[in-house]
């Protein structure tokens, strides 16, 4: 009960029209095809009063909307996006994104519809760990040319599993080594 009270935060109740979203990037997760998913902590969301704004939101950004500058934790961001409440499980007993989002403190998710504007962090330098993580990710992408091999390497070393294709994930499960991905990244 205590954990439930600690996690209580506003959750978006309906899909929005395109809205201006601004805030500080809390996390960046690379996806396939150079797309990324970002989490924005304490976002400003146009048209939503502060007491109803989620504390954290997830926004998927297609590579075509990214400028040359890479997105990093701590950057201020401004983007036009369509947001929606976390969805229930698609099939009974399947992955329940709404429950997952609740326990992660995510009150909405959506996608960018225009080019993203980024202002690099000006207050404090990004943490050494994030700099190392970003550097390692860039080296993996540069030196491991096969996208599947790069995705598996990033999953094992950084805990970033989103870039692994569904086919490769299925083969990993069939091979009985999926547990290696569960203890990847900072858990190793």
């Amino acid at each position: 009960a205590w954990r439930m009270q600690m996690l209580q935060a506003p959750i978006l109740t309906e899909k929005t029209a395109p809205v201006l979203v601004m805030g500080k990037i809390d996390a960046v997760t690379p996806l396939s095809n150079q797309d990324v998913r970002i989490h924005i902590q304490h976002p400003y969301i146009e048209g939503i009063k502060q007491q109803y704004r989620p504390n954290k939101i997830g926004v998927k950004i297609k590579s075509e909307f990214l400028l040359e500058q890479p997105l990093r934790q701590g950057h201020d961001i401004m983007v036009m996006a369509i947001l929606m409440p976390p969805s229930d499980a698609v099939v009974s007993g399947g992955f329940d994104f709404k429950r997952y989002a609740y326990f992660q403190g995510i009150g909405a998710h959506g996608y960018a519809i225009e080019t993203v504007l980024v202002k690099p962090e000006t207050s404090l330098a990004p943490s050494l760990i994030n700099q190392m993580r970003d550097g390692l990710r860039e080296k993996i992408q540069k030196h491991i040319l096969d996208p599947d091999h790069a995705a598996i390497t990033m999953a094992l070393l950084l805990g970033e599993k989103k870039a692994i294709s569904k086919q490769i994930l299925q083969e990993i499960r069939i091979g009985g080594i999926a547990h290696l991905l569960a203890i990847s990244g900072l858990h190793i």
Side-chain angles (χ1 to χ4, degrees), residues 83-127:
L83 301 175
M84 55 204 90
S87 56
D88 290 316
V90 177
V91 293
S92 180
F95 179 72
D96 188 347
F97 180 72
K98 189 174 194 175
R99 183 177 191 280
Y100 170 80
Y102 178 83
F103 283 101
Q104 296 297 313
I106 300 169
H109 68 98
Y111 53 93
I113 59 168
E114 288 184 10
T115 301
V116 174
L117 298 176
V118 179
K119 178 182 169 194
E121 183 175 23
T122 54
S123 57
L124 297 173
S127 75

Side-chain angles (χ1 to χ4, degrees), residues 119-179:
K119 178 182 169 194
E121 183 175 23
T122 54
S123 57
L124 297 173
S127 75
L128 180 60
I129 292 174
N130 287 325
Q131 288 177 10
M132 290 171 45
R133 179 185 284 274
D134 292 340
L136 184 56
R137 182 183 312 108
E138 289 169 13
K139 286 183 192 300
I140 290 168
Q141 291 171 338
K142 180 179 177 182
H143 295 291
I144 301 177
L145 301 179
D146 183 297
D148 289 330
H149 293 169
I152 291 169
T153 303
M154 284 192 292
L156 291 172
L157 295 178
L158 302 173
E160 298 173 357
K161 302 171 193 85
K162 297 284 185 187
I164 298 176
S165 69
K166 289 180 182 178
Q167 178 186 354
I168 296 295
L169 268 178
Q170 184 65 22
E171 290 173 10
I172 288 171
R173 288 185 185 114
I174 290 170
I177 57 171
H179 63 283

Side-chain angles (χ1 to χ4, degrees), residues 14-140:
E14 59 187 30
K15 185 176 180 177
T16 68
V19 291
L20 176 66
V21 176
M22 295 187 295
K24 192 167 288 296
I25 296 175
D26 182 53
V28 179
T29 305
L31 304 172
S32 58
N33 302 327
Q34 305 299 316
D35 298 347
V36 296
R37 179 174 318 284
I38 61 168
H39 287 136
I40 302 172
Q41 194 75 23
H42 306 292
Y44 164 80
I45 303 171
E46 178 182 38
I48 298 180
K49 293 181 180 178
Q50 185 170 357
Q51 67 263 31
Y52 302 117
R53 279 186 219 139
N55 291 340
K56 188 192 302 188
I57 63 171
V59 178
K60 180 180 179 181
I61 304 172
K62 290 190 169 282
S63 59
E64 64 196 72
F65 296 135
L66 295 171
L67 298 174
E68 293 297 314
Q69 180 183 13
L71 299 177
R72 304 240 191 267
Q73 182 180 23
H75 285 180
D76 289 319
I77 189 166
M78 182 167 58
V79 62
M80 288 296 289
I82 294 177
L83 301 175
M84 55 204 90
S87 56
D88 290 316
V90 177
V91 293
S92 180
F95 179 72
D96 188 347
F97 180 72
K98 189 174 194 175
R99 183 177 191 280
Y100 170 80
Y102 178 83
F103 283 101
Q104 296 297 313
I106 300 169
H109 68 98
Y111 53 93
I113 59 168
E114 288 184 10
T115 301
V116 174
L117 298 176
V118 179
K119 178 182 169 194
E121 183 175 23
T122 54
S123 57
L124 297 173
S127 75
L128 180 60
I129 292 174
N130 287 325
Q131 288 177 10
M132 290 171 45
R133 179 185 284 274
D134 292 340
L136 184 56
R137 182 183 312 108
E138 289 169 13
K139 286 183 192 300
I140 290 168

Side-chain angles (χ1 to χ4, degrees), residues 1-9 99 102-103:
W2 175 80
R3 178 159 164 81
M4 298 292 274
Q5 287 179 342
M6 292 299 294
L7 291 171
Q8 272 187 327
R99 183 177 191 280
Y102 178 83
F103 283 101

